[in-house]
Amino acid sequence: MRIAILGAGSLGTIVGAYLADGGMDIELIDAYQEHVDALNQMGAKVVGTTEFHAKVKAITPDQKSGTYDLVLLLTKQLSNGTILREMLPFLHDESIVCSLQNGIPEENVASIVGAERVIAGSVEFGATFIEPGVSSLTIEYTQFKKYAFQIGELNGETSDRIQRVKSVLDLVGGTHISDNLVGTKWSKLLINNAFSGLSAALNGEYGDILDDEVGIVSAVHIADETIKVGHANGIEFVKMNGFDIASLELQSEQDIPERIKTLRYVIEPSRLLKASMLQDLEKKRKTEIDYINGVVSSKAEGTGIATPYNDLVVKLVQAAEETQTVPDFQTNIKQFKHLVDGQ
């Protein structure tokens, strides 16, 4: 099986390292020339909660050749239109495109490469790009090896090809097949909304949110808004790492202390994670906020459900994009405190 990792950033570097070490015929494709050069010269190095190194082959997008049997899509949604159309000549009729992007991009991906090619997935570990050739794993290693991915066919079937993709991704970490793909993606979206969104809006690691009383209460409300909007759109949330995501919904304000306790327990293994959207802001790049917290705001339209916490995350991140600045935690947390105090 010839495999391409399309977007060999923080996550792709780690995935590529383990797949190459597992003997896969794999190319890491990335536009960052210095990163590509480092990968080829020194290999892919994984640091953080583990230490790992593997020799890999990396190329820039213009160096693609032949056809790929499996494409692991790890770029940002912002560039899907361009990069997927450029990938079409390198796909054959049976090629599989496995979307491992944040948010819910499958409909858009299928519209470009064909629904028959698409398998969707959810990455359940975090990583931070350190320098060219080096990526930091930010989730506990044992958790990573147990729960690294969820994947599924768009129609929910357990097909032969989904089993083949699972066998490949198992070389990286624990891979689980979902028969409710949409629910899987919404469950991952909830975690991204509550912690990646806040990480970017406040400028902090997940642990900073866990340790701040206003931050963690805001995360509880973001999760609650996401669940309520999801349910209004017919979504059945899927368990993540064995945890029932839908149980985070608030029935009353009295539930907040218990939800705080639960989130702190569930997210603690990822406390070192810094959102990729925050890393984008640090590099003065546009983020995927419209495809993360913005999904809840847009899907809430017509449901009668208010989403003030998700709306505020979108507002603050977009403001940082426009001014090309990095948010200040103490300044922005005051805006969330205003929401909390108004409850």
Side-chain angles (χ1 to χ4, degrees), residues 19-68:
L19 291 184
D21 186 69
M24 292 288 102
D25 178 7
I26 184 166
E27 291 181 346
L28 284 69
I29 306 173
D30 200 89
Y32 185 10
Q33 185 69 60
E34 188 177 352
H35 182 44
V36 170
D37 291 342
L39 289 170
N40 286 324
Q41 294 166 12
M42 296 177 288
K45 185 177 181 181
V46 183
V47 298
T49 55
T50 190
E51 294 285 336
F52 184 74
H53 181 268
K55 183 178 180 181
V56 298
K57 178 183 179 181
I59 62 173
T60 52
D62 61 306
Q63 295 176 313
K64 297 190 298 292
S65 63
T67 58
Y68 299 97

Side-chain angles (χ1 to χ4, degrees), residues 32-322:
Y32 185 10
Q33 185 69 60
E34 188 177 352
H35 182 44
V36 170
D37 291 342
L39 289 170
N40 286 324
Q41 294 166 12
M42 296 177 288
K45 185 177 181 181
V46 183
V47 298
T49 55
T50 190
E51 294 285 336
F52 184 74
H53 181 268
K55 183 178 180 181
V56 298
K57 178 183 179 181
I59 62 173
T60 52
D62 61 306
Q63 295 176 313
K64 297 190 298 292
S65 63
T67 58
Y68 299 97
D69 302 303
L70 173 63
V71 176
L72 301 177
L73 183 60
L74 279 162
T75 52
K76 296 185 183 301
Q77 285 196 56
L78 294 166
S79 57
N80 274 3
T82 300
I83 63 164
L84 288 175
R85 287 186 176 88
E86 290 177 350
M87 179 59 75
L88 287 175
F90 305 96
L91 302 178
H92 55 75
D93 290 345
E94 302 300 320
S95 293
I96 299 167
V97 177
C98 181
S99 169
L100 295 170
Q101 296 175 313
N102 288 328
I104 310 171
E106 284 70 35
E107 183 177 349
N108 175 251
V109 174
S111 72
I112 299 171
V113 304
E116 72 282 356
R117 287 188 170 121
V118 178
I119 282 176
S122 170
V123 179
E124 301 193 8
F125 64 93
T128 300
F129 186 83
I130 301 299
E131 62 184 28
V134 184
S135 184
S136 176
L137 183 69
T138 55
I139 192 171
E140 290 179 350
Y141 181 73
T142 54
Q143 185 81 353
F144 167 65
K145 298 309 289 186
K146 187 176 181 180
Y147 292 103
F149 305 100
Q150 282 199 60
I151 58 173
E153 292 279 9
L154 297 179
N155 60 10
E157 293 181 359
T158 302
S159 61
D160 289 341
R161 70 173 187 171
I162 200 77
Q163 294 285 5
R164 292 197 301 273
V165 175
K166 170 179 162 53
S167 69
V168 170
L169 293 179
D170 275 336
L171 294 171
V172 181
T175 302
H176 304 266
I177 295 174
S178 170
D179 61 2
N180 177 6
L181 182 63
V182 175
T184 296
K185 298 293 283 189
W186 271 83
S187 292
K188 176 65 184 296
L189 181 69
L190 182 147
I191 298 299
N192 278 333
N193 286 348
F195 287 90
S196 293
L198 281 173
S199 173
L202 295 173
N203 184 13
E205 296 177 345
Y206 283 18
D208 296 319
I209 299 163
L210 292 175
D211 297 339
D212 185 274
E213 288 304 314
V214 172
I216 190 64
V217 170
S218 298
V220 168
H221 282 289
I222 288 170
D224 177 61
E225 291 175 6
T226 303
I227 294 168
K228 285 181 166 58
V229 170
H231 285 164
N233 282 272
I235 303 301
E236 180 183 348
F237 287 82
V238 169
K239 290 182 179 180
M240 289 188 68
N241 302 351
F243 173 66
D244 182 8
I245 288 286
S247 68
L248 290 170
E249 184 174 10
L250 294 174
Q251 306 303 324
S252 70
E253 294 300 303
Q254 284 67 45
D255 293 335
I256 291 177
E258 187 62 30
R259 300 298 183 268
I260 290 174
K261 181 179 178 181
T262 300
L263 274 182
R264 281 180 167 153
Y265 173 79
V266 171
I267 303 299
E268 180 63 28
S270 301
R271 69 160 34 248
L272 298 178
L273 184 58
K274 180 169 71 172
S276 61
M277 290 191 293
L278 176 54
Q279 296 174 56
D280 288 334
L281 292 178
E282 291 173 340
K283 298 171 184 174
K284 303 186 187 307
R285 296 176 180 170
K286 189 170 175 60
T287 74
E288 292 186 292
I289 193 64
D290 290 340
Y291 304 101
I292 309 298
N293 298 78
V295 170
V296 175
S297 298
S298 63
K299 292 290 185 181
E301 294 179 7
T303 66
I305 298 171
T307 57
Y309 286 87
N310 279 283
D311 296 347
L312 180 55
V313 169
V314 173
K315 175 185 173 182
L316 293 174
V317 174
Q318 287 180 341
E321 288 177 344
E322 291 170 3

